Amino acid sequence: MQGAFTAFASATPTVEAPKISFRTKNPKSFNVLAVGSTGYIGKFVVKELLKRGFNVIAIAREKSGIRGKNSKEETLGLLSGANACFSDVTNLESLEKSIENLGISIDVVVSCLASRSGGVKDSWLIDYEATKNSLVAGRKFGASHFVLLSAICVQKPLLEFQRAKLKFEAELIEEANNDESFTYSIVRPTAFFKSLAGQVELVKDGKPYVMFGDGKLCACKPISEPDLASFIADCILSEELINKILPIGGPGDALTPLEQGEMLFRLVGKEPKFLKVPIQIMDFAIGVLDFLVKVFPSLEDAAEFGKIGRYYAAESMLVWDPETGEYDAESTPSYGKDTLEEFFKRVLEEGMTGQELEEQMIF
């Protein structure tokens, strides 16, 4: 296992780890069903699973990517080395038929499904319904372990996508409680490097770094996409990681927006220049949108996006201690070797090619 990692002691019921036959097999004999395989993290996970020798069945739409921008041929290229299976995860019947047509059994399901926008309906469709479909279909064809990519922010749920993820987490845990031959690993990562790169070009061009309040309202221990993919792959074979909720961050200390900005200015060799925005501006905007939604229901997602922005501006992506009512950087496990500073250096030199923020910029 890369880097240092200590599993967080979850308050959820613990199921005794059963002896599962698939863990004694050669990885080449493992059939791993990957859903969300063409998503941002999913692509890294598929690549890591293939590198470790697993037989990967990657579920994807024929036109994958944001707004279906990738053609069937481009999607096959993205999943090179995997057994690409075109299906619709939001339709259980379609998903089960697609897996049945493969004529193979499934050992493990790895779900990297996530709503791209965080909109209300999309969150429940993807973070709950589609993810549950992958559990039901996987179990039907023999899966005895399920690795779920969740998010650390669900520990303090104020948003629809968090509630949707938590509902599925609860049902996944219940499935294991009811069947001792079935196990799970729930991975709750902190911030991704990509989500912190939105202001790199602005700083490079000499513009101020924008932050809310004094820049110390929140902090995170960001993890690189390859390191996260490696940890998710670890969850397949490591019995230490089964039947647990696993918050995970990258190496090093937790960083506030102020510290991230200072790092960027240091790397570009410019005098730090910050634009401090009062968080109350977002509160006012959210209040207006919540009022308008009562009159114009079509603004529901716009109001939710405002709440998402507010959440990420003020809430830390660290383990939440319910007893103290505070986030705890020391209790947030670290894993891997990639650092945010190295990532910023690379982006300053090479740009964000292949890691464009697009619709995820709000996060």
Side-chain angles (χ1 to χ4, degrees):
M1 189 182 297
Q2 292 184 357
F5 172 76
T6 303
F8 177 70
S10 166
T12 54
T14 301
V15 183
E16 184 178 349
K19 294 179 181 178
I20 301 174
S21 60
F22 78 79
R23 288 193 171 87
T24 65
K25 296 177 3 182
N26 186 298
K28 292 186 183 299
S29 302
F30 270 61
N31 290 328
V32 180
L33 183 73
V35 293
S37 61
T38 60
Y40 181 63
I41 298 299
K43 289 181 287 190
F44 287 92
V45 171
V46 168
K47 202 173 293 185
E48 179 67 23
L49 293 175
L50 290 171
K51 187 172 81 173
R52 297 195 187 195
F54 294 113
N55 178 35
V56 181
I57 300 96
I59 303 295
R61 295 167 295 160
E62 285 199 13
K63 289 191 174 183
S64 65
I66 296 173
R67 291 184 291 274
K69 67 177 183 180
N70 298 323
S71 66
K72 181 178 180 179
E73 291 70 28
E74 289 171 324
T75 301
L76 288 171
L78 284 172
L79 300 174
S80 178
N83 182 359
C85 176
F86 294 113
S87 191
D88 179 5
V89 289
T90 65
N91 184 312
L92 179 59
E93 185 178 353
S94 168
L95 181 59
E96 290 182 338
K97 186 66 177 174
S98 298
I99 299 173
E100 182 181 6
N101 290 340
L102 295 172
I104 60 174
S105 61
I106 302 299
D107 293 302
V108 178
V109 178
V110 176
S111 174
C112 296
L113 291 168
S115 167
R116 289 188 183 275
S117 67
V120 176
K121 290 184 176 61
D122 192 59
S123 292
W124 285 99
L125 178 65
I126 304 301
D127 291 305
Y128 175 70
E129 291 179 25
T131 311
K132 184 171 182 177
N133 287 346
S134 66
L135 171 63
V136 173
R139 293 285 279 149
K140 181 176 180 179
F141 293 95
S144 52
H145 186 55
F146 193 103
V147 183
L148 173 68
L149 174 62
S150 187
I152 202 165
C153 61
V154 301
Q155 53 191 346
K156 193 176 179 184
L158 301 176
L159 306 167
E160 286 303 312
F161 82 87
Q162 296 165 340
R163 297 183 186 106
K165 285 181 182 293
L166 278 176
K167 182 173 173 60
F168 178 75
E169 283 189 12
E171 293 182 13
L172 179 62
I173 292 168
E174 183 179 8
E175 182 81 7
N177 285 336
N178 293 334
D179 183 351
E180 65 177 16
S181 69
F182 177 74
T183 57
Y184 65 87
S185 299
I186 296 174
V187 181
R188 290 180 175 178
T190 59
F192 307 144
F193 284 2
K194 167 179 147 175
S195 66
L196 303 178
Q199 299 192 65
V200 172
E201 289 302 319
L202 293 174
V203 170
K204 188 177 179 181
D205 292 340
K207 295 184 172 58
Y209 185 92
V210 181
M211 59 190 185
F212 289 93
D214 61 0
K216 300 178 184 178
L217 292 175
C218 58
C220 65
K221 293 177 73 171
I223 186 167
S224 75
E225 293 76 5
D227 280 344
L228 175 57
S230 178
F231 183 75
I232 288 172
D234 287 348
C235 291
I236 292 178
L237 291 179
S238 175
E239 294 202 2
E240 292 180 0
L241 301 178
I242 65 174
N243 294 331
K244 289 177 181 174
I245 291 175
L246 303 159
I248 192 71
D253 298 330
L255 297 169
T256 64
L258 175 63
E259 291 168 324
Q260 294 165 35
E262 290 172 339
M263 181 188 294
L264 267 177
F265 282 112
R266 186 176 71 252
L267 291 174
V268 299
K270 296 180 185 294
E271 190 69 26
K273 188 166 48 174
F274 295 97
L275 177 59
K276 299 178 180 180
V277 180
I279 195 74
Q280 291 79 6
I281 289 178
M282 296 193 79
D283 294 333
F284 175 76
I286 291 168
V288 171
L289 286 168
D290 279 344
F291 172 77
L292 291 174
V293 165
K294 297 173 183 175
V295 184
F296 306 104
S298 60
L299 292 175
E300 179 182 55
D301 279 352
E304 188 68 11
F305 297 154
K307 292 172 186 174
I308 292 172
R310 171 65 167 81
Y311 191 99
Y312 282 96
E315 300 291 340
S316 291
M317 297 298 109
L318 300 168
V319 166
W320 172 258
D321 186 336
E323 291 186 7
T324 63
E326 295 179 348
Y327 290 102
D328 188 348
E330 291 299 316
S331 296
T332 305
S334 294
Y335 178 92
K337 61 185 188 307
D338 299 336
T339 66
L340 183 64
E341 184 165 354
E342 291 167 347
F343 172 75
F344 279 163
K345 284 180 183 176
R346 189 167 65 249
V347 172
L348 285 167
E349 293 171 2
E350 304 171 10
M352 287 284 287
T353 303
Q355 299 194 84
E356 293 81 3
L357 294 171
E358 296 179 302
E359 290 176 342
Q360 293 176 328
M361 184 167 282
I362 190 169
F363 296 106

